[in-house]
């Protein structure tokens, strides 16, 4: 119990529990319907993947504002390159593009000694601009053969009646947690964000850690874009717009501190779950859907205060 | 008599040649700027830019520029408008997306002698209050929603689709006056028929829009009509309803989807029986006619005495084939097929 309370995702766990109690009290029959949960969990899986990447970057004391545009660019690449490369080829090429964006941004931050907020803000505009240029502003579609391709179904179909994206998110969450908490690289990542000077003095190649983390973040955002379009293969230039803000909010609600070195991937997914659930329930209760942004803002501020208090109690300086 | 005729003919020739002569002497072309909210993410931009190309061919003494924003922000649109005014063009065509936001810059432009034609979206306020532009060229957004709603009720009478019980107007921009008017037109008809009506802001990001609409349909089970106020979001609405098992194809059960625009997505939606009807508001004319009026006003002082409505026309299963042929000719076969996201 003590470990749970001291855990980075404790705030998000409390948030989810509170939310479920309140939603059950005010809209039990609506909230606990299978169609509701399926809708919420499916979108949580997509946002959760992007939020996990964001959480990793925040743990290194950086931020990535480009994830929404990278999500869109990778999705557009997946659809546009398919006629030439086939489905598996276009997935690989699209992911390579995502990784390249992450690599370039990471190098600019580390080698150029530039603030990640500025570099990735540039990345946000550049990637979005590339989407406009590449598509000519028009929507794009998958052929019937590509829609029915086994690999497309593996990414965007259903497994045992459940959306494939949910399994992908769970699998990647487990793998990334193992990486973060069970490997040398994960330890170096946390050390880089937690105490940069100390990590450097112990021989951690902090620059390389940050570059790899930026690449991981872009890859996760890109993969989420591919999963979305494999499920509904219609690209649009607005794909992923403002998703970076929801991803950052999810990571912060999930326990990531912008001061670095502390965070939780499970918490980021729970943060995504809270954001998606709020959107659903506000609409279900008849509130104008534009109120959602206001609620995210309020929840975000409450979460930051709560998580900082938790961190202080656990003896971290924030 | 002969001499008189010759003098008249010579005078007419001189009169016709004078404007061209003055331009030739100035060595400068007229420059008209279209400051649009229809960005390169909207296939309808093709209609406007193609019409402008035709205008430039007919009037080689004019440069027509198209400036747009892709992110549906009124503030960004106003910024582009102010930038355009600062370049002192000879005329401006602009949709009045937000009368309040556009009033200041446009009044200043008009007072400084730049003629303005509103296109696509008018200033919806009473004539005495509205921005004093030359004229409005475009569809009537309220009529767009109203005519489509009326067509739907005709189909209900004919037994082709279920009577409306709940109608949701799915909008991607909560600040867009034209979209609000489309919803308002549909609201008038549907509430008149006894149906519940809701306006839902779904945003323009596909996954978020689907998530929002699915949430709404789950919570409002009496909704059986979806009106998407952009053609490109109609497959999202149909897809959500289909995934939820709500039978969104056009028949006498389940959900009925209506949309707008004469783009490939809307027309193919009608042809494939996914969409009951869409509309045309004469986009090509909206690109061409404002420039022509600006030209005639600048050269000869012409000013239309009333607004020029270019639509709406309902596109349904009876005329969708003809529209598909027309739009294929405008967009080209490859682009048409590529943009058909059904």
């Amino acid at each position: 119990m003590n470990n749970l309370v001291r855990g980075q995702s404790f705030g998000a766990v409390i948030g989810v529990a509170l939310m479920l109690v309140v939603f059950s009290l005010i809209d039990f029959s609506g909230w606990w319907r299978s169609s509701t949960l399926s809708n919420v969990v499916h979108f949580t899986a997509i946002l959760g993947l992007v939020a996990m990447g964001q959480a990793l970057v925040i743990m290194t004391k950086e931020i990535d504002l480009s994830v929404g545009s990278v999500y869109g660019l990778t999705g557009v690449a997946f659809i546009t390159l398919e006629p030439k490369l086939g489905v598996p080829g276009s997935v690989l090429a699209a992911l390579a593009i995502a990784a390249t964006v992450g690599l370039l941004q990471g190098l600019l931050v580390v080698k150029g000694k530039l603030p990640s907020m500025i570099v990735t803000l540039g990345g946000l505009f550049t990637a979005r601009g590339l989407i406009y240029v590449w598509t000519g502003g028009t929507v794009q579609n998958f052929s019937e053969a590509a829609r029915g391709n086994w690999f497309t179904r593996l990414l965007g179909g259903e497994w045992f009646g459940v959306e494939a994206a949910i399994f992908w998110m769970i699998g990647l969450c487990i793998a990334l947690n193992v990486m973060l908490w069970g490997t040398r690289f994960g330890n170096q990542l946390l050390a880089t964000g937690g105490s940069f000077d100390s990590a450097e003095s112990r021989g951690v190649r902090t620059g390389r850690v940050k570059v790899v983390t930026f690449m991981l973040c872009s890859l996760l955002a890109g993969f989420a874009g591919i999963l979305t379009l494999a499920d509904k293969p219609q690209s649009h230039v607005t794909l992923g717009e403002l998703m970076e803000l929801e991803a950052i909010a999810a990571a912060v609600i999930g326990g990531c501190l912008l001061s670095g070195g502390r965070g939780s991937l499970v918490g980021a997914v729970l943060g995504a779950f809270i954001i998606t659930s709020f959107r659903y329930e506000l609409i279900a209760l008849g509130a104008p859907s534009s109120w959602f942004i206001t609620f995210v803002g309020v929840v975000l501020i409450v979460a930051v205060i709560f998580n900082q208090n938790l961190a202080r109690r656990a003896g971290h300086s924030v | 008599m002969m001499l008189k005729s010759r003098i008249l003919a010579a005078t007419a020739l001189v009169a016709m040649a004078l404007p061209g002569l003055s331009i030739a002497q100035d060595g400068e072309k007229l420059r008209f700027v279209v400051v649009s909210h229809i960005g390169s993410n909207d296939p309808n931009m093709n209609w406007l830019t193609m019409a402008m190309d035709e205008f430039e061919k007919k009037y080689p003494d004019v440069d027509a520029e198209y400036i747009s924003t892709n992110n549906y922000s009124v503030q960004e649109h106003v910024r582009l408008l102010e930038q355009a005014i600062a370049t002192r063009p000879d005329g401006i065509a602009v949709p009045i997306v937000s009368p309040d936001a556009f009033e200041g810059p446009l009044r200043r432009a008009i007072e400084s002698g730049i003629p303005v034609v509103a296109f696509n979206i008018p200033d919806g306020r009473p004539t005495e209050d509205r921005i004093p532009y030359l004229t409005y060229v475009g569809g009537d957004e309220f009529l767009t929603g109203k005519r489509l709603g009326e067509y739907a009720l005709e189909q209900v009478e004919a037994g082709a689709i279920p009577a409306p019980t709940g109608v949701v107007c799915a909008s991607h921009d909560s600040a867009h006056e034209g979209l609000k008017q489309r919803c308002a037109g549909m609201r008038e008809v549907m509430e008149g028929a006894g149906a519940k009506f809701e306006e839902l802001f779904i945003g323009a990001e596909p996954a978020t829009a689907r998530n929002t609409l699915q949430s709404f349909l789950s919570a409002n089970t009496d909704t059986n009509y979806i009106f998407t106020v952009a053609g490109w979001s109609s497959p999202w609405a149909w897809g959500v309803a289909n995934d939820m098992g709500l039978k969104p194809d056009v028949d006498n059960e389940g959900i009925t989807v209506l949309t707008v625009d004469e783009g490939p997505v809307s027309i193919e939606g009608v042809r494939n029986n996914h969409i009951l009807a869409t509309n045309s508001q004469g986009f090509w004319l909206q690109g061409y006619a404002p420039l022509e009026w600006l030209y005639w006003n600048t050269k000869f002082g012409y000013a239309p005495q009333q607004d020029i409505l270019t639509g709406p026309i309902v596109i349904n299963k009876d005329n969708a084939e003809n529209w598909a042929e027309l739009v294929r000719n405008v967009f080209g076969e490859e682009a048409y097929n590529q943009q058909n996201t059904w």
Side-chain angles (χ1 to χ4, degrees), chain A residues 33 39 43 71 132 136-141 147 232 234 236-241 279-280 283-284 289, chain B residues 40-41 70 201 204-208 210-212 214-216 218-219 232 236 243 338-342:
Chain A
R33 254 196 314 237
N39 174 17
F43 196 73
Y71 167 97
Y132 289 131
T138 59
V139 289
Q140 309 254 335
N141 206 359
R147 285 173 191 239
K232 298 279 184 294
Q234 301 157 355
H236 199 269
V237 287
T238 52
L239 200 65
E241 245 177 28
R279 173 161 42 224
Y280 175 89
I283 294 165
S289 41
Chain B
S40 60
N41 58 329
N70 279 321
F201 171 55
E205 202 286 311
T208 309
R210 276 196 289 264
N211 180 248
T212 304
Q214 194 169 340
S215 307
F216 182 87
S218 297
W232 38 262
W236 307 348
D243 288 350
Q338 206 172 34
Q339 290 179 34
N340 171 22
T341 52
W342 290 101

Side-chain angles (χ1 to χ4, degrees), chain A residues 43 66-76 124 127-133 135-140 225 228-229 234-244 246, chain B residues 37-43 69-73 171-173 201-210 230-233 236:
Chain A
F43 196 73
S66 70
V67 286
S69 296
V70 172
Y71 167 97
L73 180 63
T74 312
V76 166
L124 179 155
R128 185 63 59 191
L130 285 173
I131 293 173
Y132 289 131
V133 172
T135 62
T138 59
V139 289
Q140 309 254 335
T228 306
L229 289 188
Q234 301 157 355
S235 77
H236 199 269
V237 287
T238 52
L239 200 65
E241 245 177 28
L242 296 183
M243 195 178 238
E244 57 279 349
E246 290 188 8
Chain B
H37 65 310
I38 299 172
S40 60
N41 58 329
D42 188 334
T69 170
N70 279 321
N71 61 6
Y72 295 108
S73 155
S171 172
H172 54 271
D173 185 357
F201 171 55
I202 59 171
E205 202 286 311
T208 309
R210 276 196 289 264
W232 38 262
S233 56
W236 307 348

Side-chain angles (χ1 to χ4, degrees), chain A residues 80-199:
Chain A
T80 312
L81 296 174
E82 185 280 328
K84 283 184 183 168
L85 304 177
V87 175
S90 66
V91 169
L92 286 176
L95 287 175
I97 289 171
T100 306
V101 173
L103 174 69
L104 291 174
Q105 292 186 145
L107 287 174
L108 279 169
V109 170
V110 172
K111 302 287 182 194
K113 300 194 188 311
L114 297 169
S116 56
M117 186 176 280
I118 302 301
V119 169
T120 57
L121 184 63
L124 179 155
F125 287 122
T126 308
R128 185 63 59 191
L130 285 173
I131 293 173
Y132 289 131
V133 172
W134 196 346
T135 62
T138 59
V139 289
Q140 309 254 335
N141 206 359
F142 244 10
S143 66
E144 278 303 317
R147 285 173 191 239
N149 184 285
W150 66 271
F151 201 47
T152 308
R153 303 320 310 151
L154 187 72
L155 295 166
E158 289 186 352
W159 302 356
F160 317 110
V162 178
E163 301 283 351
I166 297 167
F167 292 103
W168 283 107
M169 188 275 289
I170 292 171
L172 281 165
C173 185
I174 292 169
L176 289 168
N177 267 294
V178 169
M179 178 211 77
L180 188 63
W181 304 109
T183 68
R184 187 178 157 86
F185 175 77
N187 190 269
Q188 290 178 342
L189 188 153
L190 289 166
T192 299
S195 178
F196 186 82
D197 293 337
S198 168

